[in-house]
Structure formats: C-alpha cells, structure tokens
Amino acid sequence: EPEVTQTPSHQVTQMGQEVILRCVPISNHLYFYWYRQILGQKVEFLVSFYNNEISEKSEIFDDQFSVERPDGSNFTLKIRSTKLEDSAMYFCASSIDLTGHHTQYFGPGTRLTVL
Amino acid sequence: DQQVKQNSPSLSVQEGRISILNCDYTNSMFDYFLWYKKYPAEGPTFLISISSIKDKNEDGRFTVFLNKSAKHLSLHIVPSQPGDSAVYFCAARDSGGGADGLTFGKGTHLIIQP
C-alpha cells in the first residue's frame, strides 16, 4: 500500500542553523501538508501546498519557514534559523481531492531536536 | 482556542468490550471529521472519517457517529482488542476547500486491558 515517507527520522541541530526536512508524498496525491507536534501537545497545522504554491498557512508558519517541491516526488520543509522552540515532531501528509476525498495520510515524522 | 476538544485524556477498557471515544467541536464551518490512531514515535494513522451530511459511518469494528446539532462526534470500537491501545485523535476540516489544514484535538489515550 502506498505511504508517505519522511527523512531523516531524527535530526539534531544547533540553534541558528538551517534544517531541511524531506518528504515523499503518495505519488498520485495533489495536496501536501506539514504539521508539527511539540512534545505533550496536539498536532498543529503549519502549511498546505497545491499546484506548486502555498495554499494555506497557519500563524506558526512565519518567515523562518519555507516549503518547496523541488522535483516531481519530494516535498521539503526548510527552517532557516532554528530556535529551541522548533524542537518537535514534524509530520508530512498528503491527500487527493478530486471527488471530495479529504483524507490526509501522514508520514512517520521527523523528530527535530534543537540544542 | 480549542476548536476541537477531546475531554478525556485517557480511557481504560477491558478487552472485548466497547470503547467509546468522544470529541466536541465549536466551529460550525467544519464539514469533514476524521479519527486517527497514533503509536509513540509514529505518524497518525487514518482510521475512519465522516462527512457532515451523514450521521454515521461504519468500517469493520469502527463506527463514527456525528451529532451536528450538538457539535459532537464519537468513535466506537467493538470489540476492543489489545492492538487498539494507542492515542486517538479527532480532527476536523473547515469547508473552505481541499487544501485546508486539519484541526486536531489533544487526543485520548486508549488502554485495552486483557
């Protein structure tokens, strides 16, 4: 069964460094998402991406964040200058919405630790 | 501002019995609701969904009920099995369009006791 994959599974970085989290969405899906979950808190929406542009973003997704689909398969989240509070699990998701199927399928996540 | 609320942080149920997980929402623009199951260190796994035009959806041991007037939905698992022990998240989507992000509840940790 097709699934969303994410790399790396765990990323450790120093505060102020740039990180890029990678995702390969399900191949025939049209919409791509990033979410995060800070330890002990709920899953929070960051951004959605459709037709090679951002469709919607939350207030969390400030200028330090960017997303890109550099080729036909990868979908990336870049954090330009990481802060301690960026430490969280980051989940990629994808969905297809041709006939009203809004179900989003999630990847296994990348644990980001900012020191 | 909790638009999706799961008021029970944990629930313990005996194996073979019915598990009922509850979720309340405040945003009347939500038109699609989903339940996800999550194990530690894994991503949320989709379980079942329901559109706001329905009041019930069933898939095997899982049934979701939606009461729009009460802004309440519930997930029933019957019979409960040990592998069902996980955190269950209720999520909702605004009716604005296909790319809308989901709003999640805080989750309920379901523990199935043998």
Side-chain angles (χ1 to χ4, degrees):
Chain A
E1 188 170 319
E3 57 183 20
V4 177
T5 59
Q6 290 185 243
T7 53
S9 57
H10 190 187
Q11 175 89 48
V12 181
T13 189
Q14 296 288 327
M15 190 170 57
Q17 295 295 304
E18 174 185 286
V19 294
I20 298 176
L21 309 182
R22 291 182 168 80
C23 168
V24 179
I26 295 173
S27 62
N28 63 338
H29 282 190
L30 303 176
Y31 296 86
F32 315 116
Y33 310 83
W34 283 101
Y35 292 81
R36 77 172 185 192
Q37 185 182 27
I38 295 171
L39 187 64
Q41 299 186 22
K42 61 181 179 177
V43 177
E44 299 173 289
F45 168 72
L46 293 178
V47 66
S48 58
F49 193 85
Y50 169 70
N51 201 25
N52 284 319
E53 60 183 26
I54 290 175
S55 180
E56 185 192 11
K57 58 184 181 180
S58 72
E59 56 193 27
I60 302 168
F61 194 87
D62 61 22
D63 292 343
Q64 294 297 318
F65 293 89
S66 62
V67 289
E68 196 177 34
R69 187 155 163 83
D71 53 44
S73 59
N74 290 283
F75 179 51
T76 62
L77 174 69
K78 182 192 290 186
I79 309 176
R80 185 168 35 233
S81 176
T82 50
K83 300 182 277 239
L84 294 176
E85 53 265 38
D86 293 327
S87 294
M89 283 290 291
Y90 287 81
F91 297 106
C92 174
S94 68
S95 70
I96 185 168
D97 191 17
L98 293 179
T99 58
H101 288 161
H102 310 306
T103 300
Q104 295 179 24
Y105 294 90
F106 285 75
T110 293
R111 178 174 299 282
L112 176 65
T113 302
V114 182
L115 303 175
Chain B
D1 176 26
Q2 281 192 75
Q3 296 188 66
V4 177
K5 300 178 190 177
Q6 293 177 258
N7 291 321
S8 299
S10 66
L11 175 68
S12 185
V13 174
Q14 207 151 20
E15 182 180 356
R17 299 288 189 103
I18 183 170
S19 295
I20 301 176
L21 297 104
N22 293 303
C23 178
D24 297 292
Y25 63 96
T26 57
N27 187 345
S28 53
M29 296 300 290
F30 287 149
D31 68 339
Y32 193 72
F33 303 90
L34 308 94
W35 283 95
Y36 287 88
K37 175 181 177 179
K38 188 178 179 304
Y39 295 115
E42 293 186 13
T45 301
F46 170 71
L47 274 178
I48 193 169
S49 61
I50 189 166
S51 164
S52 60
I53 62 173
K54 295 186 174 181
D55 55 19
K56 178 182 173 182
N57 190 25
E58 197 170 346
D59 184 3
R61 296 186 298 116
F62 302 94
T63 303
V64 55
F65 295 93
L66 175 62
N67 182 334
K68 279 187 68 177
S69 61
K71 293 193 175 68
H72 177 83
L73 63 155
S74 61
L75 174 68
H76 293 211
I77 307 172
V78 56
S80 301
Q81 298 174 353
D84 295 331
S85 294
V87 178
Y88 288 77
F89 290 98
C90 171
R93 200 200 75 134
D94 197 291
S95 58
D100 283 354
L102 299 176
T103 301
F104 280 81
K106 288 188 174 181
T108 296
H109 186 192
L110 177 64
I111 301 161
I112 305 301
Q113 295 184 334

